[in-house]
Amino acid sequence: MNDFWSGVGVDLHLEPDGAEGRRAGLERALRDAVRDGRLAPGTLLPATRRLAAELGISRNTAKAAYDQLVAEGYLTARQGSGTQVASLPSADATAPDVAARTRAPRLDLRPGSPDVGAFPAAAWLRALRRAIATAPSLAYDYGDPRGRIELRTALSGYLGRARGVLAPPERIVITSGYVQGLALLTRVLDGAQVAMEDPGLPFHREVVRRNGGSVVPVRVDERGVRPQDLGGGDVSAVVVTAAHQYPTGVTLHPERRRALTDWARARGGLIVEDDYDGEFRYDRQPVGALQGMAPGQVVYLGTASKTLGPGLRLGWMVLPPPLVDAVADAKLHSDHHTESIGQLALAELIDSHAYDRHVRACRLRYRRRRDQLLARLGARRGVRGVAAGLHALVEVADETEILARAEAEGLAVGHLGEHWHTAGDEPRPQGLVVGYGTPRERVYPEALEVLGKVLEGG
């Protein structure tokens, strides 16, 4: 019988001569197989004649079992189509409110992602082919926890010319994205107090906490993070988004840059620079990375998530010399090393300058989107943080009211309220955090129109 049922990929655990009787046993076995998913919806069951012959039962018994399960809704039977497993309601069908809360929005202007539809698939495939064709056999073995030397060398040149980062290959560690880099560094700092921007991304604060660090808020104003608020306490590191603060969009003022690096030198502190979208500057030359001012005090964290796509899970750390070995050791005992073939493909993409061309094309695309956002909202509404990056802050009087209207229209946006370290009773600025990288090109104009309608109360 097991050989017979292997045709539909299931063992019915049927005992035809059991105490419950042949028909009842067959009904029970089929019912259980449908309920637990071993017989998937749409599976075609054997004809009753064949089933009876294989099980050594009468055809009437087999037909009666099928008929009973059709009546119960477990099976369907149509003339000429045979007997199939029916589609049963899922366990979530009794909770429509939960399903409504978790379904994808019709229009998505949440920040945090690029337009993944713009991924340079053809260029990546060419780079991947060349990388595989020239890769040594050892590329498929366990590798250096710091990452492939080919990628570290390519990044050394790219980061120097594009972001002003002093990045010798021996000071670079390749990670599986920014989050892993932040986690590894927190482990190395071993219980340190880490100052993080307020407002800032809650998920990153949780990464620090879960890896043994304690989080201290440091305020952000119109000139960026406030080094004077670091005080004389036990803070040993501060995480900043200097080029385009998340979520306010401000760029760290030059005086603040100097004050922050002075604090690090005087206190022996560490600056952790999250340069998540530093390549995207629109109205003037890109502001160089903070790391170039104080390479001995700054850990630079970069990623391909915003330029290529977060699905690649490729990031990099440029470390002061005393931290390199400790971070590499933490990486070794985390996941040994980031997968090698993707590293080789990215190195090829950078060395062939296809990466630069892609970034330039994306910069033009996102600038057009930024300009469309300003054209739709700028005349009526305060829109901040638009000189760079993939998101803008739109000032509003009442986040709760605006978000309710947006949800009713099927529009998802971010908001400042979810980024503060604590709820607090004091009045705080309110605003929507609008990501203009996320939507596909064809739906972006509609998303802007709906956003305008929501903000205007229409």
Side-chain angles (χ1 to χ4, degrees):
M1 186 188 72
N2 286 345
D3 291 341
F4 169 68
W5 281 101
S6 66
V8 291
V10 66
D11 184 353
L12 287 182
H13 308 294
L14 180 63
E15 297 177 7
D17 296 320
E20 61 187 339
R22 294 190 172 192
R23 173 181 160 181
L26 179 57
E27 289 174 11
R28 189 258 319 149
L30 287 169
R31 192 181 292 113
D32 289 348
V34 173
R35 281 174 175 164
D36 64 23
R38 287 179 292 127
L39 281 176
T43 300
L44 180 64
L45 297 185
T48 55
R49 187 186 302 277
R50 182 182 174 204
L51 177 62
E54 292 289 338
L55 296 182
I57 60 177
S58 71
R59 185 181 179 192
N60 287 339
T61 298
K63 185 176 185 304
Y66 276 9
D67 289 346
Q68 179 61 31
L69 293 179
V70 168
E72 293 177 9
Y74 288 96
L75 305 179
T76 62
R78 293 184 180 87
Q79 189 68 30
S81 299
T83 303
Q84 296 181 342
V85 177
S87 296
L88 298 180
S90 68
D92 294 334
T94 57
D97 56 324
V98 175
R101 289 197 301 270
T102 58
R103 67 171 179 262
R106 184 173 68 89
L107 299 167
D108 195 347
L109 286 174
R110 288 174 293 189
S113 290
D115 181 358
V116 294
F119 180 80
W124 181 261
L125 185 57
R126 287 193 296 270
L128 189 59
R129 284 172 173 161
R130 285 194 292 266
I132 290 175
T134 58
S137 58
L138 287 177
Y140 301 96
D141 202 348
Y142 293 107
D144 189 335
R146 295 174 299 169
R148 294 291 307 182
I149 186 60
E150 296 91 339
L151 179 55
R152 290 188 284 127
T153 301
L155 282 170
S156 177
Y158 172 77
L159 294 174
R161 70 174 182 268
R163 301 297 300 129
V165 175
L166 181 62
E170 63 272 14
R171 288 174 53 183
I172 297 175
V173 173
I174 305 302
T175 64
S176 300
Y178 168 82
V179 167
Q180 188 186 48
L182 182 61
L184 294 174
L185 185 62
T186 304
R187 287 180 218 162
V188 168
L189 295 178
D190 193 19
Q193 282 195 7
V194 181
M196 302 187 78
E197 295 169 327
D198 189 16
L201 196 63
F203 180 69
H204 290 172
R205 298 196 289 269
E206 190 62 21
V207 169
V208 170
R209 292 188 185 103
R210 292 193 181 208
N211 285 277
S214 59
V215 174
V216 178
V218 58
R219 250 192 330 145
V220 171
D221 60 23
E222 68 280 357
R223 303 176 85 189
V225 72
R226 293 168 52 91
Q228 61 267 39
D229 291 351
L230 293 172
D234 296 325
V235 170
S236 55
V238 55
V239 182
V240 297
T241 47
H244 188 233
Q245 201 274 334
Y246 187 88
T248 67
V250 300
T251 298
L252 189 61
H253 191 277
E255 290 181 6
R256 297 275 175 90
R257 286 178 162 233
R258 288 190 291 272
L260 195 59
T261 55
D262 288 346
W263 168 85
R265 290 189 181 99
R267 294 288 307 278
L270 197 64
I271 302 167
V272 183
E273 182 175 15
D274 176 3
D275 198 35
Y276 68 102
D277 63 1
E279 286 96 340
F280 300 123
R281 187 105 198 159
Y282 308 122
D283 295 327
R284 55 189 167 97
Q285 284 294 107
V287 176
L290 184 63
Q291 192 264 5
M293 293 179 62
Q297 281 71 45
V298 178
V299 173
Y300 176 90
L301 295 176
T303 174
S305 292
K306 302 300 183 288
T307 53
L308 293 173
L312 291 180
R313 308 315 303 144
L314 287 171
W316 41 89
M317 309 173 73
V318 183
L319 296 151
L323 287 174
V324 174
D325 288 344
V327 170
D329 184 69
K331 172 70 174 173
L332 175 67
H333 291 90
S334 173
D335 63 353
H336 205 298
H337 64 91
T338 297
E339 66 91 9
S340 297
I341 305 306
Q343 292 187 56
L344 292 173
L346 181 56
E348 176 63 36
L349 203 70
I350 294 172
D351 287 340
S352 68
H353 298 284
Y355 187 76
D356 298 73
R357 291 192 293 273
H358 172 71
V359 169
R360 287 195 296 270
C362 287
R363 191 180 296 131
L364 292 173
R365 179 182 300 107
Y366 295 138
R367 178 171 182 162
R368 287 195 298 270
R369 292 191 179 191
R370 189 280 310 263
D371 291 347
Q372 287 177 268
L373 176 70
L374 290 175
R376 181 63 181 85
L377 306 180
R380 307 181 187 86
R381 179 80 52 180
V383 183
R384 296 166 45 196
V386 294
L390 302 179
H391 78 273
L393 180 64
V394 181
E395 296 172 346
V396 299
D398 188 338
E399 287 179 14
T400 303
E401 178 186 344
I402 297 294
L403 289 171
R405 290 207 295 262
E407 185 177 8
E409 295 288 341
L411 174 68
V413 289
H415 62 102
L416 268 183
E418 61 187 335
H419 292 89
W420 302 106
H421 282 239
T422 58
D425 296 326
E426 72 277 10
R428 284 172 166 165
Q430 298 199 51
L432 302 185
V433 186
V434 179
Y436 46 84
T438 304
R440 304 293 81 79
E441 200 75 33
R442 60 183 177 79
V443 301
Y444 183 62
E446 181 187 0
L448 284 187
E449 283 305 309
V450 172
L451 176 64
K453 175 183 174 183
V454 164
L455 291 170
E456 291 155 12

